[in-house]
Amino acid sequence: AETTMPATAPNPELIALLRSPRSKSPMHVEGDGLVSDDGAERYPIVGGVPRLAGEAYVGSFGRQWNRYDVARTEEDEATFEAKTGVAPRDLAGKIVLDAGCGGGRYARILGDAGAKVLGVDLSSAVDKASELCRDLPGVQIVQGDLLNPPVAEGTFDLVFSIGVLHHSPDPRRAFAEIARRVKPGGRLAVWLYRRNTPPQEWVNSALRAVTTRLPARALEAACVGLGALGSVPVLNRTLNKLANFSNHPDWTLRVCDDFDWYAPKYQSHHTVEELSGWFRDEGFGDLRVLRPAKSGKVYDWAYDHDLIVGSGVNVAGTRQD
């Protein structure tokens, strides 16, 4: 008979950083749930994951991250460093909030490097993240809403959010909420989709008006087709500048990337100036605009002219107060 490994016991140090999404009261583990310190509220712990919110509008992400195995250690480490400006090894012993942890690939590499990581996500992808980080006691996964994060303010050495806030119905508010979780002198790093040229934005809006209404199985079949298209050298460097599809060398990641683009209900696009303004408005300084790891004369020109669909705007800063 197939055996199932027991869920990792909740990490007491990280559980102590949780707050009730309703009353903001501290909470503690009691039996198979979390109870507010005043005893008035109780939330279940299922599979080692405190459930402080329902899945709401992010069902596609639960399906996506639980269906596709996308963790690639070497690539994930390089992506994390490029999009936060921090090497995982430099976070050993630090308290980190992974704001929108998805399937847990970044929480896993940070936990493996010795960081104390609280990963928060609204979708059922927390199940995949918990499984991926099962052998890392320094990682605690929580199901919660970034528009009302169930974690203490002013606590974390680093808060990062890679490719998440643009899927919120209110990205600016979500940014403000996670920014408040950074401790004075701590760092915040955020990566959002870039706003492309008007023709590219029009095409994308028209396509997504269709794809977001497709049944998940039909969209997955379409993404398999796009995955094939992404393997054709000429097309994956030209046609995908008009209509987005992944040209990642890994087939599974291509299909997952395409589903990630075309399935979510919400998808907003932003500028570097806009994101930098958010940082300044929330009391952050020492801002650093992070460029993609990929470079080259043609790529850099296209990136700087907002022509690469699916590329990002990426800023990191230090909390000043």
mmCIF file of all heavy atoms in Angstrom, residues 142-185:
data_model
loop_
_atom_site.group_PDB
_atom_site.id
_atom_site.type_symbol
_atom_site.label_atom_id
_atom_site.label_comp_id
_atom_site.label_asym_id
_atom_site.label_seq_id
_atom_site.Cartn_x
_atom_site.Cartn_y
_atom_site.Cartn_z
ATOM 1 N N VAL A 142 1.300 29.173 4.592
ATOM 2 C CA VAL A 142 0.025 29.637 5.129
ATOM 3 C C VAL A 142 -0.892 30.030 3.972
ATOM 4 O O VAL A 142 -0.441 30.665 3.009
ATOM 5 C CB VAL A 142 0.226 30.866 6.044
ATOM 6 C CG1 VAL A 142 -1.111 31.405 6.535
ATOM 7 C CG2 VAL A 142 1.126 30.515 7.225
ATOM 8 N N GLN A 143 -2.145 29.664 4.057
ATOM 9 C CA GLN A 143 -3.126 30.130 3.072
ATOM 10 C C GLN A 143 -3.731 31.426 3.590
ATOM 11 O O GLN A 143 -4.421 31.447 4.617
ATOM 12 C CB GLN A 143 -4.215 29.080 2.828
ATOM 13 C CG GLN A 143 -5.135 29.449 1.663
ATOM 14 C CD GLN A 143 -6.019 28.293 1.227
ATOM 15 O OE1 GLN A 143 -6.162 27.291 1.927
ATOM 16 N NE2 GLN A 143 -6.622 28.416 0.048
ATOM 17 N N GLY A 144 -3.455 32.515 2.886
ATOM 18 C CA GLY A 144 -3.926 33.819 3.321
ATOM 19 C C GLY A 144 -3.990 34.786 2.152
ATOM 20 O O GLY A 144 -3.448 34.529 1.075
ATOM 21 N N ASP A 145 -4.640 35.909 2.363
ATOM 22 C CA ASP A 145 -4.916 36.908 1.331
ATOM 23 C C ASP A 145 -3.947 38.076 1.472
ATOM 24 O O ASP A 145 -3.871 38.698 2.541
ATOM 25 C CB ASP A 145 -6.364 37.390 1.478
ATOM 26 C CG ASP A 145 -6.829 38.258 0.335
ATOM 27 O OD1 ASP A 145 -5.996 38.687 -0.492
ATOM 28 O OD2 ASP A 145 -8.049 38.531 0.274
ATOM 29 N N LEU A 146 -3.223 38.409 0.395
ATOM 30 C CA LEU A 146 -2.273 39.522 0.458
ATOM 31 C C LEU A 146 -2.969 40.877 0.557
ATOM 32 O O LEU A 146 -2.321 41.880 0.881
ATOM 33 C CB LEU A 146 -1.342 39.496 -0.758
ATOM 34 C CG LEU A 146 -0.409 38.294 -0.851
ATOM 35 C CD1 LEU A 146 0.506 38.433 -2.054
ATOM 36 C CD2 LEU A 146 0.395 38.103 0.430
ATOM 37 N N LEU A 147 -4.258 40.936 0.288
ATOM 38 C CA LEU A 147 -5.002 42.176 0.521
ATOM 39 C C LEU A 147 -5.325 42.355 2.008
ATOM 40 O O LEU A 147 -5.745 43.426 2.430
ATOM 41 C CB LEU A 147 -6.297 42.185 -0.298
ATOM 42 C CG LEU A 147 -6.108 42.366 -1.804
ATOM 43 C CD1 LEU A 147 -7.437 42.163 -2.530
ATOM 44 C CD2 LEU A 147 -5.532 43.736 -2.128
ATOM 45 N N ASN A 148 -5.111 41.304 2.771
ATOM 46 C CA ASN A 148 -5.296 41.332 4.219
ATOM 47 C C ASN A 148 -4.349 40.302 4.826
ATOM 48 O O ASN A 148 -4.779 39.288 5.370
ATOM 49 C CB ASN A 148 -6.750 41.015 4.577
ATOM 50 C CG ASN A 148 -7.023 41.126 6.061
ATOM 51 O OD1 ASN A 148 -6.310 41.796 6.804
ATOM 52 N ND2 ASN A 148 -8.063 40.439 6.517
ATOM 53 N N PRO A 149 -3.037 40.541 4.730
ATOM 54 C CA PRO A 149 -2.074 39.500 5.106
ATOM 55 C C PRO A 149 -2.173 39.134 6.583
ATOM 56 O O PRO A 149 -2.154 40.020 7.447
ATOM 57 C CB PRO A 149 -0.715 40.159 4.807
ATOM 58 C CG PRO A 149 -1.017 41.261 3.838
ATOM 59 C CD PRO A 149 -2.378 41.751 4.230
ATOM 60 N N PRO A 150 -2.276 37.856 6.887
ATOM 61 C CA PRO A 150 -2.433 37.425 8.284
ATOM 62 C C PRO A 150 -1.093 37.307 9.001
ATOM 63 O O PRO A 150 -0.811 36.310 9.667
ATOM 64 C CB PRO A 150 -3.111 36.058 8.124
ATOM 65 C CG PRO A 150 -2.530 35.518 6.848
ATOM 66 C CD PRO A 150 -2.364 36.719 5.944
ATOM 67 N N VAL A 151 -0.263 38.337 8.867
ATOM 68 C CA VAL A 151 1.069 38.321 9.481
ATOM 69 C C VAL A 151 1.346 39.673 10.134
ATOM 70 O O VAL A 151 0.788 40.705 9.734
ATOM 71 C CB VAL A 151 2.168 37.981 8.455
ATOM 72 C CG1 VAL A 151 1.997 36.573 7.928
ATOM 73 C CG2 VAL A 151 2.162 38.965 7.303
ATOM 74 N N ALA A 152 2.234 39.645 11.121
ATOM 75 C CA ALA A 152 2.553 40.854 11.883
ATOM 76 C C ALA A 152 3.244 41.895 11.015
ATOM 77 O O ALA A 152 4.030 41.564 10.119
ATOM 78 C CB ALA A 152 3.436 40.491 13.070
ATOM 79 N N GLU A 153 2.974 43.157 11.288
ATOM 80 C CA GLU A 153 3.627 44.250 10.570
ATOM 81 C C GLU A 153 5.021 44.502 11.136
ATOM 82 O O GLU A 153 5.316 44.187 12.288
ATOM 83 C CB GLU A 153 2.781 45.522 10.673
ATOM 84 C CG GLU A 153 1.422 45.405 10.006
ATOM 85 C CD GLU A 153 0.647 46.713 9.990
ATOM 86 O OE1 GLU A 153 1.222 47.756 10.371
ATOM 87 O OE2 GLU A 153 -0.536 46.682 9.607
ATOM 88 N N GLY A 154 5.890 45.096 10.294
ATOM 89 C CA GLY A 154 7.205 45.528 10.734
ATOM 90 C C GLY A 154 8.093 44.431 11.272
ATOM 91 O O GLY A 154 8.839 44.636 12.224
ATOM 92 N N THR A 155 8.037 43.250 10.650
ATOM 93 C CA THR A 155 8.671 42.063 11.226
ATOM 94 C C THR A 155 9.791 41.464 10.379
ATOM 95 O O THR A 155 10.741 40.915 10.912
ATOM 96 C CB THR A 155 7.605 40.971 11.449
ATOM 97 O OG1 THR A 155 6.592 41.484 12.321
ATOM 98 C CG2 THR A 155 8.194 39.715 12.045
ATOM 99 N N PHE A 156 9.714 41.577 9.065
ATOM 100 C CA PHE A 156 10.541 40.756 8.190
ATOM 101 C C PHE A 156 11.788 41.483 7.694
ATOM 102 O O PHE A 156 11.745 42.657 7.328
ATOM 103 C CB PHE A 156 9.713 40.267 6.999
ATOM 104 C CG PHE A 156 8.611 39.331 7.410
ATOM 105 C CD1 PHE A 156 7.357 39.832 7.770
ATOM 106 C CD2 PHE A 156 8.824 37.971 7.476
ATOM 107 C CE1 PHE A 156 6.347 38.976 8.170
ATOM 108 C CE2 PHE A 156 7.820 37.100 7.868
ATOM 109 C CZ PHE A 156 6.576 37.603 8.224
ATOM 110 N N ASP A 157 12.894 40.728 7.636
ATOM 111 C CA ASP A 157 14.144 41.255 7.079
ATOM 112 C C ASP A 157 14.008 41.464 5.574
ATOM 113 O O ASP A 157 14.574 42.407 5.022
ATOM 114 C CB ASP A 157 15.300 40.279 7.350
ATOM 115 C CG ASP A 157 15.561 40.099 8.836
ATOM 116 O OD1 ASP A 157 15.955 41.084 9.487
ATOM 117 O OD2 ASP A 157 15.376 38.977 9.346
ATOM 118 N N LEU A 158 13.293 40.569 4.932
ATOM 119 C CA LEU A 158 13.039 40.677 3.498
ATOM 120 C C LEU A 158 11.616 40.237 3.216
ATOM 121 O O LEU A 158 11.174 39.189 3.694
ATOM 122 C CB LEU A 158 14.010 39.794 2.694
ATOM 123 C CG LEU A 158 13.709 39.679 1.190
ATOM 124 C CD1 LEU A 158 13.969 41.010 0.476
ATOM 125 C CD2 LEU A 158 14.518 38.562 0.543
ATOM 126 N N VAL A 159 10.914 41.041 2.451
ATOM 127 C CA VAL A 159 9.631 40.641 1.871
ATOM 128 C C VAL A 159 9.814 40.683 0.357
ATOM 129 O O VAL A 159 10.331 41.671 -0.174
ATOM 130 C CB VAL A 159 8.483 41.583 2.292
ATOM 131 C CG1 VAL A 159 7.191 41.217 1.555
ATOM 132 C CG2 VAL A 159 8.269 41.526 3.802
ATOM 133 N N PHE A 160 9.424 39.632 -0.319
ATOM 134 C CA PHE A 160 9.527 39.640 -1.787
ATOM 135 C C PHE A 160 8.245 39.093 -2.397
ATOM 136 O O PHE A 160 7.536 38.278 -1.799
ATOM 137 C CB PHE A 160 10.744 38.854 -2.268
ATOM 138 C CG PHE A 160 10.628 37.364 -2.127
ATOM 139 C CD1 PHE A 160 10.163 36.563 -3.172
ATOM 140 C CD2 PHE A 160 11.006 36.732 -0.945
ATOM 141 C CE1 PHE A 160 10.067 35.191 -3.039
ATOM 142 C CE2 PHE A 160 10.910 35.356 -0.798
ATOM 143 C CZ PHE A 160 10.439 34.577 -1.850
ATOM 144 N N SER A 161 7.949 39.586 -3.585
ATOM 145 C CA SER A 161 6.772 39.140 -4.329
ATOM 146 C C SER A 161 7.144 39.118 -5.805
ATOM 147 O O SER A 161 7.365 40.171 -6.406
ATOM 148 C CB SER A 161 5.584 40.077 -4.079
ATOM 149 O OG SER A 161 4.416 39.572 -4.687
ATOM 150 N N ILE A 162 7.229 37.923 -6.371
ATOM 151 C CA ILE A 162 7.664 37.753 -7.752
ATOM 152 C C ILE A 162 6.489 37.283 -8.599
ATOM 153 O O ILE A 162 6.025 36.147 -8.478
ATOM 154 C CB ILE A 162 8.828 36.738 -7.838
ATOM 155 C CG1 ILE A 162 10.039 37.236 -7.038
ATOM 156 C CG2 ILE A 162 9.218 36.489 -9.286
ATOM 157 C CD1 ILE A 162 11.190 36.253 -6.967
ATOM 158 N N GLY A 163 5.974 38.175 -9.432
ATOM 159 C CA GLY A 163 4.926 37.801 -10.372
ATOM 160 C C GLY A 163 3.593 37.502 -9.741
ATOM 161 O O GLY A 163 2.876 36.609 -10.213
ATOM 162 N N VAL A 164 3.209 38.259 -8.711
ATOM 163 C CA VAL A 164 1.995 37.935 -7.959
ATOM 164 C C VAL A 164 1.007 39.097 -7.890
ATOM 165 O O VAL A 164 -0.187 38.939 -8.188
ATOM 166 C CB VAL A 164 2.353 37.487 -6.525
ATOM 167 C CG1 VAL A 164 1.095 37.269 -5.696
ATOM 168 C CG2 VAL A 164 3.209 36.231 -6.546
ATOM 169 N N LEU A 165 1.466 40.270 -7.495
ATOM 170 C CA LEU A 165 0.543 41.368 -7.194
ATOM 171 C C LEU A 165 -0.266 41.808 -8.407
ATOM 172 O O LEU A 165 -1.377 42.322 -8.247
ATOM 173 C CB LEU A 165 1.316 42.564 -6.624
ATOM 174 C CG LEU A 165 2.131 42.309 -5.359
ATOM 175 C CD1 LEU A 165 2.713 43.615 -4.834
ATOM 176 C CD2 LEU A 165 1.305 41.611 -4.292
ATOM 177 N N HIS A 166 0.250 41.608 -9.604
ATOM 178 C CA HIS A 166 -0.511 41.998 -10.805
ATOM 179 C C HIS A 166 -1.719 41.081 -11.037
ATOM 180 O O HIS A 166 -2.516 41.342 -11.939
ATOM 181 C CB HIS A 166 0.393 42.020 -12.048
ATOM 182 C CG HIS A 166 1.235 40.803 -12.217
ATOM 183 N ND1 HIS A 166 2.591 40.869 -12.415
ATOM 184 C CD2 HIS A 166 0.934 39.475 -12.214
ATOM 185 C CE1 HIS A 166 3.088 39.653 -12.548
ATOM 186 N NE2 HIS A 166 2.096 38.793 -12.423
ATOM 187 N N HIS A 167 -1.843 40.017 -10.243
ATOM 188 C CA HIS A 167 -3.027 39.156 -10.327
ATOM 189 C C HIS A 167 -4.049 39.482 -9.239
ATOM 190 O O HIS A 167 -5.036 38.757 -9.076
ATOM 191 C CB HIS A 167 -2.625 37.687 -10.232
ATOM 192 C CG HIS A 167 -1.834 37.209 -11.413
ATOM 193 N ND1 HIS A 167 -2.273 37.364 -12.714
ATOM 194 C CD2 HIS A 167 -0.621 36.587 -11.483
ATOM 195 C CE1 HIS A 167 -1.370 36.847 -13.538
ATOM 196 N NE2 HIS A 167 -0.361 36.384 -12.820
ATOM 197 N N SER A 168 -3.819 40.548 -8.501
ATOM 198 C CA SER A 168 -4.763 40.984 -7.472
ATOM 199 C C SER A 168 -5.793 41.935 -8.074
ATOM 200 O O SER A 168 -5.476 42.682 -9.006
ATOM 201 C CB SER A 168 -3.994 41.710 -6.353
ATOM 202 O OG SER A 168 -4.886 42.389 -5.490
ATOM 203 N N PRO A 169 -7.012 41.959 -7.533
ATOM 204 C CA PRO A 169 -7.977 42.960 -7.997
ATOM 205 C C PRO A 169 -7.573 44.374 -7.612
ATOM 206 O O PRO A 169 -8.107 45.332 -8.163
ATOM 207 C CB PRO A 169 -9.282 42.541 -7.304
ATOM 208 C CG PRO A 169 -8.863 41.712 -6.150
ATOM 209 C CD PRO A 169 -7.599 41.023 -6.559
ATOM 210 N N ASP A 170 -6.623 44.526 -6.694
ATOM 211 C CA ASP A 170 -6.151 45.845 -6.261
ATOM 212 C C ASP A 170 -4.646 45.767 -5.982
ATOM 213 O O ASP A 170 -4.222 45.693 -4.823
ATOM 214 C CB ASP A 170 -6.906 46.296 -5.009
ATOM 215 C CG ASP A 170 -6.669 47.766 -4.671
ATOM 216 O OD1 ASP A 170 -5.683 48.350 -5.177
ATOM 217 O OD2 ASP A 170 -7.464 48.330 -3.888
ATOM 218 N N PRO A 171 -3.808 45.778 -7.039
ATOM 219 C CA PRO A 171 -2.361 45.609 -6.843
ATOM 220 C C PRO A 171 -1.737 46.673 -5.943
ATOM 221 O O PRO A 171 -0.842 46.368 -5.153
ATOM 222 C CB PRO A 171 -1.803 45.696 -8.268
ATOM 223 C CG PRO A 171 -2.942 45.357 -9.155
ATOM 224 C CD PRO A 171 -4.163 45.883 -8.463
ATOM 225 N N ARG A 172 -2.206 47.918 -6.044
ATOM 226 C CA ARG A 172 -1.617 48.984 -5.233
ATOM 227 C C ARG A 172 -1.863 48.738 -3.743
ATOM 228 O O ARG A 172 -0.959 48.934 -2.915
ATOM 229 C CB ARG A 172 -2.207 50.342 -5.659
ATOM 230 C CG ARG A 172 -1.692 51.526 -4.843
ATOM 231 C CD ARG A 172 -0.203 51.739 -5.071
ATOM 232 N NE ARG A 172 0.349 52.818 -4.271
ATOM 233 C CZ ARG A 172 0.802 52.673 -3.024
ATOM 234 N NH1 ARG A 172 0.754 51.492 -2.426
ATOM 235 N NH2 ARG A 172 1.311 53.704 -2.385
ATOM 236 N N ARG A 173 -3.062 48.333 -3.417
ATOM 237 C CA ARG A 173 -3.367 48.047 -2.009
ATOM 238 C C ARG A 173 -2.575 46.845 -1.515
ATOM 239 O O ARG A 173 -2.064 46.837 -0.391
ATOM 240 C CB ARG A 173 -4.864 47.804 -1.845
ATOM 241 C CG ARG A 173 -5.278 47.455 -0.418
ATOM 242 C CD ARG A 173 -6.766 47.194 -0.338
ATOM 243 N NE ARG A 173 -7.075 46.261 0.752
ATOM 244 C CZ ARG A 173 -8.177 45.533 0.814
ATOM 245 N NH1 ARG A 173 -9.082 45.614 -0.146
ATOM 246 N NH2 ARG A 173 -8.384 44.709 1.829
ATOM 247 N N ALA A 174 -2.477 45.804 -2.337
ATOM 248 C CA ALA A 174 -1.704 44.626 -1.953
ATOM 249 C C ALA A 174 -0.243 45.005 -1.720
ATOM 250 O O ALA A 174 0.392 44.520 -0.772
ATOM 251 C CB ALA A 174 -1.813 43.546 -3.024
ATOM 252 N N PHE A 175 0.287 45.887 -2.557
ATOM 253 C CA PHE A 175 1.662 46.348 -2.370
ATOM 254 C C PHE A 175 1.807 47.042 -1.020
ATOM 255 O O PHE A 175 2.755 46.779 -0.266
ATOM 256 C CB PHE A 175 2.052 47.309 -3.496
ATOM 257 C CG PHE A 175 3.437 47.874 -3.346
ATOM 258 C CD1 PHE A 175 4.521 47.245 -3.932
ATOM 259 C CD2 PHE A 175 3.664 49.037 -2.610
ATOM 260 C CE1 PHE A 175 5.810 47.752 -3.780
ATOM 261 C CE2 PHE A 175 4.935 49.552 -2.460
ATOM 262 C CZ PHE A 175 6.012 48.914 -3.041
ATOM 263 N N ALA A 176 0.890 47.929 -0.703
ATOM 264 C CA ALA A 176 0.960 48.654 0.566
ATOM 265 C C ALA A 176 0.904 47.696 1.749
ATOM 266 O O ALA A 176 1.612 47.882 2.755
ATOM 267 C CB ALA A 176 -0.180 49.667 0.658
ATOM 268 N N GLU A 177 0.084 46.660 1.622
ATOM 269 C CA GLU A 177 -0.058 45.697 2.724
ATOM 270 C C GLU A 177 1.239 44.926 2.957
ATOM 271 O O GLU A 177 1.684 44.773 4.103
ATOM 272 C CB GLU A 177 -1.207 44.731 2.440
ATOM 273 C CG GLU A 177 -2.590 45.360 2.521
ATOM 274 C CD GLU A 177 -2.998 45.729 3.946
ATOM 275 O OE1 GLU A 177 -2.313 45.298 4.901
ATOM 276 O OE2 GLU A 177 -4.004 46.430 4.102
ATOM 277 N N ILE A 178 1.856 44.430 1.896
ATOM 278 C CA ILE A 178 3.088 43.669 2.120
ATOM 279 C C ILE A 178 4.229 44.593 2.519
ATOM 280 O O ILE A 178 5.119 44.193 3.287
ATOM 281 C CB ILE A 178 3.465 42.795 0.905
ATOM 282 C CG1 ILE A 178 3.891 43.634 -0.299
ATOM 283 C CG2 ILE A 178 2.327 41.850 0.556
ATOM 284 C CD1 ILE A 178 4.516 42.799 -1.404
ATOM 285 N N ALA A 179 4.198 45.848 2.040
ATOM 286 C CA ALA A 179 5.248 46.803 2.413
ATOM 287 C C ALA A 179 5.251 47.044 3.913
ATOM 288 O O ALA A 179 6.315 47.229 4.522
ATOM 289 C CB ALA A 179 5.053 48.111 1.660
ATOM 290 N N ARG A 180 4.075 47.032 4.523
ATOM 291 C CA ARG A 180 3.987 47.270 5.966
ATOM 292 C C ARG A 180 4.545 46.117 6.789
ATOM 293 O O ARG A 180 4.756 46.252 7.991
ATOM 294 C CB ARG A 180 2.543 47.555 6.369
ATOM 295 C CG ARG A 180 2.089 48.958 5.999
ATOM 296 C CD ARG A 180 0.866 49.362 6.809
ATOM 297 N NE ARG A 180 -0.337 48.705 6.340
ATOM 298 C CZ ARG A 180 -1.115 49.178 5.365
ATOM 299 N NH1 ARG A 180 -0.783 50.306 4.742
ATOM 300 N NH2 ARG A 180 -2.214 48.537 5.015
ATOM 301 N N ARG A 181 4.778 44.995 6.169
ATOM 302 C CA ARG A 181 5.335 43.846 6.897
ATOM 303 C C ARG A 181 6.860 43.893 6.981
ATOM 304 O O ARG A 181 7.466 43.113 7.709
ATOM 305 C CB ARG A 181 4.891 42.547 6.227
ATOM 306 C CG ARG A 181 3.542 42.021 6.745
ATOM 307 C CD ARG A 181 2.390 42.935 6.480
ATOM 308 N NE ARG A 181 1.184 42.519 7.223
ATOM 309 C CZ ARG A 181 0.051 43.209 7.228
ATOM 310 N NH1 ARG A 181 -0.057 44.354 6.540
ATOM 311 N NH2 ARG A 181 -0.984 42.787 7.939
ATOM 312 N N VAL A 182 7.501 44.796 6.263
ATOM 313 C CA VAL A 182 8.955 44.925 6.292
ATOM 314 C C VAL A 182 9.366 45.698 7.541
ATOM 315 O O VAL A 182 8.776 46.722 7.874
ATOM 316 C CB VAL A 182 9.457 45.669 5.040
ATOM 317 C CG1 VAL A 182 10.983 45.752 5.037
ATOM 318 C CG2 VAL A 182 8.959 44.982 3.761
ATOM 319 N N LYS A 183 10.379 45.231 8.225
ATOM 320 C CA LYS A 183 10.852 45.939 9.420
ATOM 321 C C LYS A 183 11.713 47.123 9.000
ATOM 322 O O LYS A 183 12.246 47.158 7.881
ATOM 323 C CB LYS A 183 11.634 44.992 10.321
ATOM 324 C CG LYS A 183 13.014 44.613 9.823
ATOM 325 C CD LYS A 183 13.699 43.703 10.840
ATOM 326 C CE LYS A 183 15.150 43.433 10.470
ATOM 327 N NZ LYS A 183 15.810 42.530 11.447
ATOM 328 N N PRO A 184 11.856 48.148 9.843
ATOM 329 C CA PRO A 184 12.749 49.261 9.521
ATOM 330 C C PRO A 184 14.153 48.758 9.189
ATOM 331 O O PRO A 184 14.712 47.932 9.917
ATOM 332 C CB PRO A 184 12.746 50.087 10.812
ATOM 333 C CG PRO A 184 11.419 49.791 11.433
ATOM 334 C CD PRO A 184 11.163 48.338 11.129
ATOM 335 N N GLY A 185 14.666 49.217 8.062
ATOM 336 C CA GLY A 185 15.967 48.743 7.600
ATOM 337 C C GLY A 185 15.892 47.477 6.778
ATOM 338 O O GLY A 185 16.896 47.048 6.204
#
